[in-house]
Amino acid sequence: MFAVVNPATELPIAQLDEAGVEETDAAVERARESFPAWRAVAPSDRARLLRRLATLVDEHREELAQIESRNVGKPIAGARAEVGMVADVFHFYAGAVDKHHGETIPVVGGVDMTFHEPLGVVGLIGPWNFPLNISSWKLGPALACGNTVVLKPAELTPLSALRLAELALEAGIPEGVVNVVAGPGRIVGQRLVEHPDVAKIGFTGSTEVGRGVMQAAAGTIKRVTLELGGKSANVVFADADLERAASSAPYAVFDNAGQDCCARSRILVEKSVYDRFLDLLVEATRRVRVGDPADEQTEMGPLISAEQRDKVASYVADTVSAFRGEVPEGAGYWYPCTLVEATNDDRVAREEVFGPVAAIIPFADEEDAIRIANDTPYGLSGSIWTENGARALRVARALETGVLSINSNTSVRPSTPFGGFKQSGFGRELGMRALDGYSEVKNVFVAT
Ligand code: NAD
């Protein structure tokens, strides 16, 4: 057995059976047996089942939000919004089921056509920061394409995935199509990656573990999608609406207590407005409401674990803080909102902190901004703040990153592709693109 803990109270909220290799193999076998019947379900019926799952998620929004809030420490208002997105993701893929089709290609001597075939059993491995959301990003396209799945949630946060699997059954998705194994990554995850009957791994997690997944997948030439870490830049030019940029910037780092792959944790500011922007940013950060995740007003909760808190603290130890917020006293893995003045060579600016810490870095001009923003092994997301439209697009094209927003800090929508450049991984989730990652193109020639 293993205990699942509420990070705001440090108290256990559930005891689970820990899955191991035997349970993982049983889940893969079950998914393998269920595959032929599931792939044969008419697309319109598969769509209906996904739509029903979306509706059930909506109907259970409060329950799922409470699970996610207590297990991850997410503020309840934000958790409700996340569950809303999960329902939207299933609605999107319900609509996509019968729109991801092949093409006919005129060729000499006949006709050529392509089919999008499901892969078979896919292994889905998720992180602890957005357990339910990221499960839906993978489950939606995997099921839409006709695959059966074995989902392994992070060991710290398995509860919402288990509840989601129950709702999938209630929606009428046949038994054996969605399987969940809750257990340690190095045992359950590793087994899924090495299992000869698993055709693909959809992985979201750290770059370090992702590297190991890629190596282990080589043994069976398994397909992999890797959604990994980030160190994204929030680039603020002197001609930006500074008030708007400054009031948005804290939420782009401190949402989910900074445990966000898209966190804009390097705030790059043009030198001529640096001091003014820093004042505005400190003011805005002071307003972030940190506290009990169950409180409707709370905007930032605790970190996921004591280990994560210690790791975050180690990044701040030798830096100059421009601001450090307050945290509640007593139990809970709290860490305050922290703004650090840095250069891009400092460790706090180079590594993914995964906590509520932002590095503020000055730049001289547009060229310097692009150089600094790209000077990182990561390339997941980022923002550009300027009132100059041509500059916005010029810089957007120059940045080596997968998901950008201009005069905004949002990254994720059900219908738009999401994924990284460089060591932030490869493959895309969400939107129609994700379907390519859960299907194989078959090419058939007919001689005429
Ligand atoms: P992690 O890499 O520690 O774990 C991710 C998952 O991998 C967990 O389920 C874990 O049990 C499993 N795992 C561990 N060892 C394994 C192994 N040997 N084989 C197979 N699976 C194994 O990541 P985390 O700490 O849970 O999540 C935080 C990380 O995830 C951050 O780096 C963050 O940036 C990243 N992340 C990326 C995205 C994205 O879309 N790019 C989204 C969210 C989080």
Side-chain angles (χ1 to χ4, degrees), residues 318-329:
D318 298 323
T319 60
V320 183
S321 289
F323 177 78
R324 258 176 91 76
E326 312 247 309
V327 293
E329 287 185 3

Side-chain angles (χ1 to χ4, degrees), residues 352-407:
E352 187 180 43
V353 176
F354 230 54
V357 179
I360 329 292
I361 302 166
F363 67 84
D365 54 20
E366 187 178 310
E367 197 184 330
D368 198 32
I370 293 168
R371 181 189 61 76
I372 297 172
N374 286 340
D375 180 16
T376 169
Y378 295 108
L380 188 55
S381 65
S383 294
I384 301 159
W385 294 80
T386 172
E387 292 296 299
N388 177 336
R391 161 181 279 166
L393 286 178
R394 207 164 47 232
V395 176
R397 294 299 305 275
L399 294 188
E400 298 158 353
T401 187
V403 191
L404 271 170
S405 40
I406 294 166
N407 296 334

Side-chain angles (χ1 to χ4, degrees), residues 160-199:
S160 55
L162 288 163
R163 186 68 185 113
L164 185 63
E166 288 175 348
L167 293 180
L169 274 183
E170 199 178 323
I173 294 173
E175 275 190 34
V177 172
V178 178
N179 306 275
V180 180
V181 273
R186 61 182 196 290
I187 297 171
V188 171
Q190 189 76 23
R191 178 64 185 155
L192 276 179
V193 178
E194 289 172 353
H195 202 297
D197 290 335
V198 174

Side-chain angles (χ1 to χ4, degrees), residues 126 128 152 155 185 189-190 203-206 227-229 261 352 418:
W128 45 255
K152 193 210 93 63
E155 43 271 60
Q190 189 76 23
F203 175 86
T204 299
S206 60
E227 298 289 350
L228 310 176
C261 54
E352 187 180 43
F418 177 86

